Short mmCIF file of all heavy atoms in Angstrom, two decimals:
data_model
loop_
_atom_site.label_atom_id
_atom_site.label_comp_id
_atom_site.label_asym_id
_atom_site.label_seq_id
_atom_site.Cartn_x
_atom_site.Cartn_y
_atom_site.Cartn_z
N MET A 1424 90.88 129.71 56.97
CA MET A 1424 90.56 131.07 57.48
C MET A 1424 91.35 131.23 58.85
O MET A 1424 91.32 130.39 59.72
CB MET A 1424 89.07 131.23 57.69
CG MET A 1424 88.61 132.29 58.62
SD MET A 1424 86.84 132.36 58.82
CE MET A 1424 86.38 133.31 57.40
N ILE A 1425 92.08 132.34 58.89
CA ILE A 1425 93.01 132.51 60.06
C ILE A 1425 92.27 132.69 61.36
O ILE A 1425 92.77 132.21 62.37
CB ILE A 1425 93.90 133.78 59.79
CG1 ILE A 1425 94.98 133.86 60.82
CG2 ILE A 1425 93.12 135.08 59.74
CD1 ILE A 1425 96.02 132.76 60.77
N ARG A 1426 91.07 133.25 61.38
CA ARG A 1426 90.33 133.38 62.62
C ARG A 1426 90.04 132.02 63.19
O ARG A 1426 90.10 131.81 64.45
CB ARG A 1426 89.06 134.18 62.44
CG ARG A 1426 89.31 135.68 62.24
CD ARG A 1426 88.03 136.44 62.17
NE ARG A 1426 87.16 135.89 61.16
CZ ARG A 1426 86.15 136.49 60.60
NH1 ARG A 1426 85.84 137.72 60.95
NH2 ARG A 1426 85.37 135.90 59.70
N LYS A 1427 89.61 131.09 62.37
CA LYS A 1427 89.31 129.71 62.81
C LYS A 1427 90.55 129.03 63.36
O LYS A 1427 90.50 128.35 64.37
CB LYS A 1427 88.67 128.94 61.68
CG LYS A 1427 87.21 129.18 61.56
CD LYS A 1427 86.54 128.03 60.87
CE LYS A 1427 85.06 128.27 60.81
NZ LYS A 1427 84.27 127.41 61.53
N LYS A 1428 91.68 129.16 62.61
CA LYS A 1428 92.89 128.54 63.04
C LYS A 1428 93.41 129.05 64.38
O LYS A 1428 93.80 128.27 65.27
CB LYS A 1428 93.98 128.72 62.01
CG LYS A 1428 93.83 127.89 60.76
CD LYS A 1428 94.95 128.14 59.78
CE LYS A 1428 94.75 127.32 58.50
NZ LYS A 1428 95.87 127.48 57.62
N LEU A 1429 93.30 130.36 64.58
CA LEU A 1429 93.68 130.96 65.86
C LEU A 1429 92.78 130.47 66.98
O LEU A 1429 93.20 130.12 68.07
CB LEU A 1429 93.71 132.49 65.80
CG LEU A 1429 94.91 133.12 65.13
CD1 LEU A 1429 94.66 134.62 64.96
CD2 LEU A 1429 96.15 132.82 65.84
N GLY A 1430 91.43 130.46 66.72
CA GLY A 1430 90.51 130.01 67.64
C GLY A 1430 90.70 128.56 68.09
O GLY A 1430 90.68 128.20 69.26
N GLN A 1431 91.02 127.72 67.11
CA GLN A 1431 91.29 126.33 67.34
C GLN A 1431 92.52 126.15 68.17
O GLN A 1431 92.60 125.32 69.09
CB GLN A 1431 91.39 125.53 66.03
CG GLN A 1431 90.06 125.34 65.37
CD GLN A 1431 90.17 124.84 63.93
OE1 GLN A 1431 91.26 124.76 63.38
NE2 GLN A 1431 89.04 124.45 63.39
N ARG A 1432 93.56 127.00 67.87
CA ARG A 1432 94.79 126.96 68.64
C ARG A 1432 94.58 127.33 70.07
O ARG A 1432 95.08 126.63 71.03
CB ARG A 1432 95.88 127.89 68.03
CG ARG A 1432 97.16 127.99 68.75
CD ARG A 1432 97.93 126.71 68.66
NE ARG A 1432 99.26 126.96 69.23
CZ ARG A 1432 100.00 125.99 69.73
NH1 ARG A 1432 99.59 124.77 69.77
NH2 ARG A 1432 101.20 126.26 70.22
N ILE A 1433 93.83 128.34 70.33
CA ILE A 1433 93.56 128.79 71.70
C ILE A 1433 92.75 127.70 72.44
O ILE A 1433 93.10 127.34 73.54
CB ILE A 1433 92.79 130.11 71.70
CG1 ILE A 1433 93.75 131.23 71.19
CG2 ILE A 1433 92.24 130.45 73.08
CD1 ILE A 1433 93.07 132.56 70.88
N LYS A 1434 91.75 127.17 71.77
CA LYS A 1434 90.91 126.11 72.40
C LYS A 1434 91.81 124.90 72.71
O LYS A 1434 91.69 124.33 73.81
CB LYS A 1434 89.81 125.72 71.44
CG LYS A 1434 88.78 124.84 72.08
CD LYS A 1434 87.61 124.66 71.15
CE LYS A 1434 86.47 123.91 71.83
NZ LYS A 1434 85.27 123.88 70.99
N SER A 1435 92.67 124.51 71.82
CA SER A 1435 93.52 123.38 71.99
C SER A 1435 94.46 123.58 73.17
O SER A 1435 94.58 122.72 74.04
CB SER A 1435 94.31 123.09 70.72
OG SER A 1435 95.29 122.08 70.96
N LEU A 1436 95.05 124.74 73.25
CA LEU A 1436 95.98 125.04 74.37
C LEU A 1436 95.22 125.08 75.67
O LEU A 1436 95.74 124.60 76.73
CB LEU A 1436 96.66 126.38 74.11
CG LEU A 1436 97.75 126.41 73.01
CD1 LEU A 1436 98.11 127.84 72.68
CD2 LEU A 1436 98.99 125.60 73.46
N ARG A 1437 94.02 125.60 75.65
CA ARG A 1437 93.22 125.73 76.87
C ARG A 1437 92.84 124.35 77.35
O ARG A 1437 92.95 124.05 78.52
CB ARG A 1437 91.97 126.57 76.56
CG ARG A 1437 91.11 126.76 77.76
CD ARG A 1437 89.93 127.74 77.47
NE ARG A 1437 89.09 127.27 76.43
CZ ARG A 1437 88.15 126.26 76.57
NH1 ARG A 1437 88.04 125.61 77.71
NH2 ARG A 1437 87.38 125.90 75.55
N LYS A 1438 92.41 123.49 76.43
CA LYS A 1438 92.04 122.12 76.85
C LYS A 1438 93.21 121.30 77.31
O LYS A 1438 93.04 120.49 78.27
CB LYS A 1438 91.29 121.40 75.69
CG LYS A 1438 89.96 122.04 75.53
CD LYS A 1438 89.11 121.21 74.50
CE LYS A 1438 87.73 121.82 74.41
NZ LYS A 1438 86.74 121.24 75.28
N GLU A 1439 94.40 121.49 76.70
CA GLU A 1439 95.60 120.76 77.18
C GLU A 1439 95.92 121.09 78.62
O GLU A 1439 96.43 120.25 79.34
CB GLU A 1439 96.85 121.19 76.35
CG GLU A 1439 96.93 120.59 74.96
CD GLU A 1439 98.11 121.18 74.13
OE1 GLU A 1439 98.95 121.82 74.73
OE2 GLU A 1439 98.05 120.94 72.92
N ARG A 1440 95.57 122.32 79.00
CA ARG A 1440 95.86 122.82 80.35
C ARG A 1440 94.66 122.57 81.30
O ARG A 1440 94.72 122.94 82.44
CB ARG A 1440 96.20 124.23 80.36
CG ARG A 1440 97.67 124.41 79.74
CD ARG A 1440 97.88 125.84 79.24
NE ARG A 1440 99.25 126.04 78.80
CZ ARG A 1440 99.75 125.55 77.66
NH1 ARG A 1440 98.99 124.82 76.84
NH2 ARG A 1440 101.02 125.78 77.25
N SER A 1441 93.58 122.04 80.75
CA SER A 1441 92.38 121.70 81.55
C SER A 1441 91.85 122.96 82.28
O SER A 1441 91.53 122.96 83.47
CB SER A 1441 92.60 120.60 82.56
OG SER A 1441 92.97 119.43 81.92
N ILE A 1442 91.76 124.10 81.52
CA ILE A 1442 91.16 125.24 82.15
C ILE A 1442 89.94 125.70 81.29
O ILE A 1442 89.85 125.47 80.13
CB ILE A 1442 92.19 126.44 82.27
CG1 ILE A 1442 92.75 126.88 80.85
CG2 ILE A 1442 93.31 126.10 83.19
CD1 ILE A 1442 93.58 128.14 80.97
N SER A 1443 89.03 126.32 82.01
CA SER A 1443 87.78 126.78 81.33
C SER A 1443 88.02 128.09 80.60
O SER A 1443 89.05 128.78 80.83
CB SER A 1443 86.71 126.97 82.38
OG SER A 1443 87.00 128.04 83.24
N GLN A 1444 87.06 128.48 79.80
CA GLN A 1444 87.11 129.79 79.13
C GLN A 1444 87.14 130.89 80.15
O GLN A 1444 87.84 131.87 80.02
CB GLN A 1444 85.93 129.95 78.19
CG GLN A 1444 86.01 129.12 76.93
CD GLN A 1444 84.82 129.35 76.05
OE1 GLN A 1444 83.80 129.85 76.42
NE2 GLN A 1444 84.94 128.86 74.78
N GLU A 1445 86.37 130.73 81.21
CA GLU A 1445 86.30 131.72 82.24
C GLU A 1445 87.66 131.88 82.94
O GLU A 1445 88.09 133.00 83.21
CB GLU A 1445 85.25 131.37 83.26
CG GLU A 1445 84.97 132.45 84.25
CD GLU A 1445 83.77 132.26 85.16
OE1 GLU A 1445 83.02 131.27 84.87
OE2 GLU A 1445 83.57 133.01 86.12
N GLU A 1446 88.33 130.79 83.22
CA GLU A 1446 89.61 130.81 83.89
C GLU A 1446 90.63 131.51 82.97
O GLU A 1446 91.42 132.34 83.40
CB GLU A 1446 90.13 129.44 84.23
CG GLU A 1446 89.37 128.82 85.40
CD GLU A 1446 89.68 127.33 85.57
OE1 GLU A 1446 89.75 126.56 84.56
OE2 GLU A 1446 89.92 126.94 86.74
N LEU A 1447 90.64 131.16 81.67
CA LEU A 1447 91.56 131.78 80.72
C LEU A 1447 91.26 133.29 80.70
O LEU A 1447 92.23 134.10 80.67
CB LEU A 1447 91.41 131.17 79.35
CG LEU A 1447 92.26 131.81 78.27
CD1 LEU A 1447 93.74 131.81 78.61
CD2 LEU A 1447 92.00 131.12 76.90
N ALA A 1448 90.01 133.66 80.58
CA ALA A 1448 89.64 135.05 80.52
C ALA A 1448 90.16 135.83 81.76
O ALA A 1448 90.70 136.93 81.61
CB ALA A 1448 88.11 135.21 80.37
N ASP A 1449 89.98 135.24 82.96
CA ASP A 1449 90.46 135.88 84.14
C ASP A 1449 91.96 136.06 84.18
O ASP A 1449 92.45 137.13 84.49
CB ASP A 1449 90.04 135.03 85.39
CG ASP A 1449 88.58 135.13 85.73
OD1 ASP A 1449 87.91 136.08 85.17
OD2 ASP A 1449 88.07 134.29 86.45
N ILE A 1450 92.68 135.01 83.79
CA ILE A 1450 94.18 135.05 83.76
C ILE A 1450 94.68 136.12 82.74
O ILE A 1450 95.59 136.85 83.01
CB ILE A 1450 94.75 133.70 83.46
CG1 ILE A 1450 94.44 132.65 84.54
CG2 ILE A 1450 96.23 133.79 83.27
CD1 ILE A 1450 94.66 131.24 84.15
N ALA A 1451 94.00 136.15 81.58
CA ALA A 1451 94.40 137.04 80.51
C ALA A 1451 93.93 138.43 80.62
O ALA A 1451 94.33 139.37 79.92
CB ALA A 1451 94.03 136.45 79.14
N GLY A 1452 92.92 138.63 81.52
CA GLY A 1452 92.31 139.97 81.69
C GLY A 1452 91.37 140.30 80.59
O GLY A 1452 91.25 141.44 80.19
N LEU A 1453 90.69 139.29 80.08
CA LEU A 1453 89.74 139.50 79.00
C LEU A 1453 88.36 138.97 79.42
O LEU A 1453 88.22 138.25 80.48
CB LEU A 1453 90.20 138.68 77.77
CG LEU A 1453 91.53 139.14 77.18
CD1 LEU A 1453 92.01 138.11 76.16
CD2 LEU A 1453 91.47 140.51 76.57
N ASP A 1454 87.36 139.26 78.64
CA ASP A 1454 86.00 138.83 78.98
C ASP A 1454 85.75 137.36 78.46
O ASP A 1454 86.25 137.04 77.41
CB ASP A 1454 84.96 139.74 78.28
CG ASP A 1454 83.57 139.51 78.72
OD1 ASP A 1454 83.20 139.95 79.81
OD2 ASP A 1454 82.84 138.83 78.00
N ARG A 1455 85.03 136.61 79.23
CA ARG A 1455 84.75 135.20 78.82
C ARG A 1455 84.02 135.10 77.50
O ARG A 1455 84.32 134.26 76.69
CB ARG A 1455 83.96 134.43 79.93
CG ARG A 1455 83.85 132.94 79.53
CD ARG A 1455 82.59 132.26 80.16
NE ARG A 1455 81.38 132.94 79.82
CZ ARG A 1455 80.68 132.81 78.73
NH1 ARG A 1455 81.13 132.05 77.75
NH2 ARG A 1455 79.53 133.45 78.56
N THR A 1456 83.07 136.02 77.27
CA THR A 1456 82.36 135.94 76.02
C THR A 1456 83.29 136.28 74.82
O THR A 1456 83.09 135.80 73.71
CB THR A 1456 81.16 136.93 75.98
OG1 THR A 1456 81.58 138.25 76.24
CG2 THR A 1456 80.13 136.53 77.06
N TYR A 1457 84.31 137.10 75.08
CA TYR A 1457 85.29 137.44 74.04
C TYR A 1457 86.08 136.16 73.73
O TYR A 1457 86.30 135.80 72.55
CB TYR A 1457 86.24 138.53 74.55
CG TYR A 1457 87.36 138.88 73.60
CD1 TYR A 1457 87.05 139.74 72.49
CD2 TYR A 1457 88.65 138.38 73.69
CE1 TYR A 1457 88.09 140.05 71.59
CE2 TYR A 1457 89.60 138.68 72.83
CZ TYR A 1457 89.33 139.54 71.78
OH TYR A 1457 90.37 139.88 70.90
N ILE A 1458 86.54 135.40 74.70
CA ILE A 1458 87.30 134.16 74.49
C ILE A 1458 86.44 133.17 73.67
O ILE A 1458 86.90 132.56 72.74
CB ILE A 1458 87.74 133.55 75.82
CG1 ILE A 1458 88.67 134.45 76.66
CG2 ILE A 1458 88.31 132.10 75.61
CD1 ILE A 1458 90.03 134.65 75.98
N ASN A 1459 85.19 133.08 74.06
CA ASN A 1459 84.25 132.20 73.31
C ASN A 1459 84.20 132.59 71.87
O ASN A 1459 84.25 131.76 70.97
CB ASN A 1459 82.86 132.20 73.98
CG ASN A 1459 81.96 131.26 73.27
OD1 ASN A 1459 82.19 130.08 73.09
ND2 ASN A 1459 80.85 131.83 72.82
N SER A 1460 83.96 133.85 71.54
CA SER A 1460 83.82 134.26 70.16
C SER A 1460 85.13 134.11 69.44
O SER A 1460 85.15 133.82 68.20
CB SER A 1460 83.27 135.70 70.09
OG SER A 1460 84.16 136.59 70.68
N VAL A 1461 86.26 134.29 70.04
CA VAL A 1461 87.57 134.11 69.37
C VAL A 1461 87.74 132.61 69.08
O VAL A 1461 88.13 132.23 67.98
CB VAL A 1461 88.72 134.63 70.26
CG1 VAL A 1461 90.08 134.16 69.73
CG2 VAL A 1461 88.66 136.13 70.38
N GLU A 1462 87.46 131.73 70.05
CA GLU A 1462 87.60 130.32 69.87
C GLU A 1462 86.72 129.80 68.72
O GLU A 1462 87.05 128.83 68.01
CB GLU A 1462 87.33 129.52 71.13
CG GLU A 1462 88.42 129.60 72.13
CD GLU A 1462 88.15 128.66 73.31
OE1 GLU A 1462 87.17 127.96 73.36
OE2 GLU A 1462 89.05 128.67 74.25
N ASN A 1463 85.55 130.45 68.53
CA ASN A 1463 84.65 130.04 67.48
C ASN A 1463 84.88 130.74 66.15
O ASN A 1463 84.16 130.60 65.19
CB ASN A 1463 83.19 130.25 67.92
CG ASN A 1463 82.78 129.31 69.01
OD1 ASN A 1463 82.97 128.09 68.83
ND2 ASN A 1463 82.26 129.77 70.10
N GLY A 1464 85.97 131.48 66.06
CA GLY A 1464 86.36 132.18 64.81
C GLY A 1464 85.42 133.27 64.40
O GLY A 1464 85.38 133.65 63.26
N LYS A 1465 84.74 133.89 65.35
CA LYS A 1465 83.74 134.91 65.08
C LYS A 1465 84.30 136.31 65.30
O LYS A 1465 83.58 137.30 65.03
CB LYS A 1465 82.47 134.70 65.89
CG LYS A 1465 81.75 133.43 65.57
CD LYS A 1465 80.54 133.23 66.39
CE LYS A 1465 79.86 131.94 66.00
NZ LYS A 1465 78.66 131.73 66.86
N ARG A 1466 85.51 136.45 65.83
CA ARG A 1466 86.04 137.77 66.11
C ARG A 1466 87.44 137.89 65.64
O ARG A 1466 88.25 136.96 65.78
CB ARG A 1466 85.96 137.92 67.61
CG ARG A 1466 86.31 139.35 68.09
CD ARG A 1466 86.27 139.46 69.56
NE ARG A 1466 84.90 139.40 70.09
CZ ARG A 1466 84.19 140.46 70.40
NH1 ARG A 1466 84.71 141.65 70.29
NH2 ARG A 1466 83.01 140.33 70.90
N ASN A 1467 87.76 139.02 65.12
CA ASN A 1467 89.17 139.38 64.83
C ASN A 1467 89.86 139.68 66.15
O ASN A 1467 89.34 140.45 66.97
CB ASN A 1467 89.31 140.59 63.90
CG ASN A 1467 88.90 140.29 62.50
OD1 ASN A 1467 89.18 139.13 62.00
ND2 ASN A 1467 88.27 141.20 61.81
N ILE A 1468 90.97 139.08 66.35
CA ILE A 1468 91.68 139.27 67.63
C ILE A 1468 92.95 140.11 67.37
O ILE A 1468 93.64 139.89 66.36
CB ILE A 1468 92.03 137.91 68.27
CG1 ILE A 1468 92.68 138.08 69.63
CG2 ILE A 1468 92.83 137.02 67.36
CD1 ILE A 1468 92.86 136.80 70.44
N SER A 1469 93.18 141.06 68.23
CA SER A 1469 94.36 141.91 68.07
C SER A 1469 95.61 141.24 68.56
O SER A 1469 95.58 140.28 69.35
CB SER A 1469 94.17 143.27 68.88
OG SER A 1469 94.29 143.01 70.26
N ILE A 1470 96.76 141.65 68.06
CA ILE A 1470 98.01 141.09 68.52
C ILE A 1470 98.23 141.33 69.97
O ILE A 1470 98.85 140.48 70.70
CB ILE A 1470 99.18 141.67 67.66
CG1 ILE A 1470 100.46 140.85 67.93
CG2 ILE A 1470 99.43 143.11 67.89
CD1 ILE A 1470 100.43 139.41 67.44
N VAL A 1471 97.69 142.39 70.55
CA VAL A 1471 97.78 142.68 71.96
C VAL A 1471 97.06 141.61 72.71
O VAL A 1471 97.60 141.11 73.74
CB VAL A 1471 97.20 144.12 72.27
CG1 VAL A 1471 97.13 144.29 73.80
CG2 VAL A 1471 98.06 145.18 71.62
N ASN A 1472 95.86 141.24 72.33
CA ASN A 1472 95.13 140.19 72.98
C ASN A 1472 95.73 138.83 72.80
O ASN A 1472 95.67 137.98 73.69
CB ASN A 1472 93.64 140.24 72.62
CG ASN A 1472 92.96 141.42 73.28
OD1 ASN A 1472 93.45 142.05 74.15
ND2 ASN A 1472 91.76 141.74 72.73
N ILE A 1473 96.29 138.58 71.63
CA ILE A 1473 97.03 137.32 71.42
C ILE A 1473 98.15 137.21 72.38
O ILE A 1473 98.41 136.20 73.01
CB ILE A 1473 97.51 137.20 69.94
CG1 ILE A 1473 96.36 137.03 68.99
CG2 ILE A 1473 98.50 136.02 69.80
CD1 ILE A 1473 96.74 137.13 67.52
N GLU A 1474 98.88 138.31 72.59
CA GLU A 1474 99.98 138.31 73.54
C GLU A 1474 99.48 138.04 74.98
O GLU A 1474 100.09 137.26 75.71
CB GLU A 1474 100.72 139.63 73.52
CG GLU A 1474 101.91 139.68 74.49
CD GLU A 1474 102.65 141.04 74.50
OE1 GLU A 1474 102.01 142.07 74.48
OE2 GLU A 1474 103.90 140.94 74.46
N LYS A 1475 98.37 138.63 75.34
CA LYS A 1475 97.76 138.41 76.67
C LYS A 1475 97.45 136.93 76.89
O LYS A 1475 97.69 136.37 77.97
CB LYS A 1475 96.53 139.25 76.87
CG LYS A 1475 96.75 140.71 77.08
CD LYS A 1475 95.43 141.46 77.25
CE LYS A 1475 95.61 142.96 77.41
NZ LYS A 1475 94.31 143.65 77.58
N ILE A 1476 96.91 136.31 75.83
CA ILE A 1476 96.53 134.92 75.93
C ILE A 1476 97.76 134.04 76.01
O ILE A 1476 97.85 133.09 76.78
CB ILE A 1476 95.60 134.53 74.75
CG1 ILE A 1476 94.23 135.20 74.96
CG2 ILE A 1476 95.45 133.01 74.63
CD1 ILE A 1476 93.31 135.14 73.77
N ALA A 1477 98.79 134.36 75.21
CA ALA A 1477 100.03 133.63 75.18
C ALA A 1477 100.68 133.68 76.61
O ALA A 1477 101.11 132.66 77.12
CB ALA A 1477 101.00 134.13 74.16
N ILE A 1478 100.68 134.86 77.16
CA ILE A 1478 101.26 135.05 78.51
C ILE A 1478 100.43 134.25 79.53
O ILE A 1478 101.00 133.59 80.41
CB ILE A 1478 101.30 136.52 78.91
CG1 ILE A 1478 102.37 137.27 78.07
CG2 ILE A 1478 101.57 136.73 80.37
CD1 ILE A 1478 102.30 138.79 78.14
N ALA A 1479 99.15 134.25 79.36
CA ALA A 1479 98.25 133.43 80.25
C ALA A 1479 98.57 131.98 80.19
O ALA A 1479 98.48 131.25 81.17
CB ALA A 1479 96.76 133.68 79.92
N PHE A 1480 98.94 131.50 79.02
CA PHE A 1480 99.33 130.09 78.81
C PHE A 1480 100.79 129.86 79.21
O PHE A 1480 101.24 128.69 79.25
CB PHE A 1480 99.16 129.68 77.35
CG PHE A 1480 97.71 129.46 76.91
CD1 PHE A 1480 97.26 129.93 75.72
CD2 PHE A 1480 96.86 128.74 77.73
CE1 PHE A 1480 95.95 129.72 75.33
CE2 PHE A 1480 95.51 128.52 77.39
CZ PHE A 1480 95.04 129.06 76.17
N GLY A 1481 101.54 130.93 79.43
CA GLY A 1481 102.97 130.77 79.83
C GLY A 1481 103.83 130.38 78.66
O GLY A 1481 104.82 129.63 78.86
N ILE A 1482 103.46 130.85 77.41
CA ILE A 1482 104.28 130.50 76.26
C ILE A 1482 104.58 131.79 75.51
O ILE A 1482 103.97 132.79 75.67
CB ILE A 1482 103.53 129.52 75.33
CG1 ILE A 1482 102.22 130.09 74.78
CG2 ILE A 1482 103.30 128.16 75.97
CD1 ILE A 1482 101.53 129.26 73.72
N SER A 1483 105.62 131.69 74.71
CA SER A 1483 106.02 132.84 73.90
C SER A 1483 105.08 132.97 72.64
O SER A 1483 104.36 132.02 72.28
CB SER A 1483 107.47 132.66 73.35
OG SER A 1483 107.47 131.59 72.42
N LEU A 1484 105.13 134.13 72.05
CA LEU A 1484 104.30 134.30 70.80
C LEU A 1484 104.79 133.36 69.72
O LEU A 1484 103.99 132.84 68.97
CB LEU A 1484 104.41 135.76 70.29
CG LEU A 1484 103.61 136.80 71.05
CD1 LEU A 1484 103.89 138.19 70.54
CD2 LEU A 1484 102.11 136.45 71.01
N LYS A 1485 106.10 133.10 69.68
CA LYS A 1485 106.64 132.10 68.72
C LYS A 1485 106.00 130.73 68.90
O LYS A 1485 105.56 130.14 67.95
CB LYS A 1485 108.16 132.05 68.83
CG LYS A 1485 108.82 131.09 67.84
CD LYS A 1485 110.27 130.95 68.10
CE LYS A 1485 110.98 129.98 67.23
NZ LYS A 1485 110.50 128.57 67.39
N ASP A 1486 105.95 130.32 70.13
CA ASP A 1486 105.36 129.03 70.43
C ASP A 1486 103.86 129.00 70.19
O ASP A 1486 103.25 128.04 69.73
CB ASP A 1486 105.66 128.54 71.85
CG ASP A 1486 107.10 128.19 72.07
OD1 ASP A 1486 107.78 127.84 71.10
OD2 ASP A 1486 107.53 128.25 73.23
N PHE A 1487 103.21 130.13 70.45
CA PHE A 1487 101.77 130.26 70.24
C PHE A 1487 101.46 130.06 68.77
O PHE A 1487 100.55 129.35 68.40
CB PHE A 1487 101.23 131.62 70.66
CG PHE A 1487 99.81 131.79 70.40
CD1 PHE A 1487 98.84 131.33 71.28
CD2 PHE A 1487 99.36 132.45 69.22
CE1 PHE A 1487 97.48 131.53 70.96
CE2 PHE A 1487 97.99 132.59 68.91
CZ PHE A 1487 97.06 132.12 69.81
N PHE A 1488 102.27 130.63 67.88
CA PHE A 1488 102.01 130.53 66.47
C PHE A 1488 102.65 129.28 65.80
O PHE A 1488 102.53 129.08 64.57
CB PHE A 1488 102.57 131.80 65.73
CG PHE A 1488 101.67 133.00 65.92
CD1 PHE A 1488 102.05 134.02 66.72
CD2 PHE A 1488 100.39 132.98 65.30
CE1 PHE A 1488 101.25 135.10 66.92
CE2 PHE A 1488 99.53 134.11 65.48
CZ PHE A 1488 99.98 135.15 66.32
N ASP A 1489 103.19 128.37 66.59
CA ASP A 1489 103.78 127.20 66.09
C ASP A 1489 102.76 126.07 65.98
O ASP A 1489 102.69 125.18 66.84
CB ASP A 1489 104.97 126.70 66.99
CG ASP A 1489 105.74 125.57 66.35
OD1 ASP A 1489 105.70 125.42 65.13
OD2 ASP A 1489 106.42 124.88 67.17
N PHE A 1490 101.86 126.22 64.99
CA PHE A 1490 100.83 125.20 64.79
C PHE A 1490 100.64 124.80 63.38
O PHE A 1490 101.15 125.31 62.46
CB PHE A 1490 99.48 125.59 65.43
CG PHE A 1490 98.85 126.91 64.89
CD1 PHE A 1490 97.90 126.83 63.88
CD2 PHE A 1490 99.25 128.11 65.36
CE1 PHE A 1490 97.33 128.00 63.45
CE2 PHE A 1490 98.67 129.28 64.92
CZ PHE A 1490 97.70 129.20 63.94
#
């Protein structure tokens, strides 16, 4: 399921960088509860928000989807 894969990818990138969900949410301009639900595969995420998260991680969309 794509929602779970994307959530796992975000969680993995976040943990690699040792940042909390709250820190990621602040950097990306999103709500912490939104990040939590995305990481748990409970929410459909828009490409706009995927881009915000990729930018927050300092990576391209290509690199974001390289999993």
Side-chain angles (χ1 to χ4, degrees):
M1424 163 182 275
I1425 190 67
R1426 287 185 308 200
K1427 279 202 176 244
K1428 287 182 181 180
L1429 282 173
Q1431 289 169 349
R1432 177 68 171 153
I1433 292 168
K1434 189 173 189 174
S1435 173
L1436 289 167
R1437 183 175 60 75
K1438 289 190 178 266
E1439 283 175 14
R1440 288 158 175 76
S1441 300
I1442 61 174
S1443 68
Q1444 287 180 344
E1445 188 171 351
E1446 289 170 314
L1447 175 58
D1449 287 343
I1450 296 166
L1453 300 168
D1454 189 80
R1455 187 207 51 83
T1456 59
Y1457 178 80
I1458 298 293
N1459 181 56
S1460 62
V1461 168
E1462 284 188 0
N1463 289 310
K1465 295 180 179 177
R1466 186 181 290 260
N1467 286 324
I1468 183 171
S1469 72
I1470 192 69
V1471 171
N1472 287 344
I1473 291 171
E1474 181 182 43
K1475 287 179 181 181
I1476 291 169
I1478 290 168
F1480 286 136
I1482 60 174
S1483 68
L1484 284 175
K1485 179 185 179 297
D1486 290 337
F1487 177 85
F1488 284 108
D1489 189 21
F1490 59 96

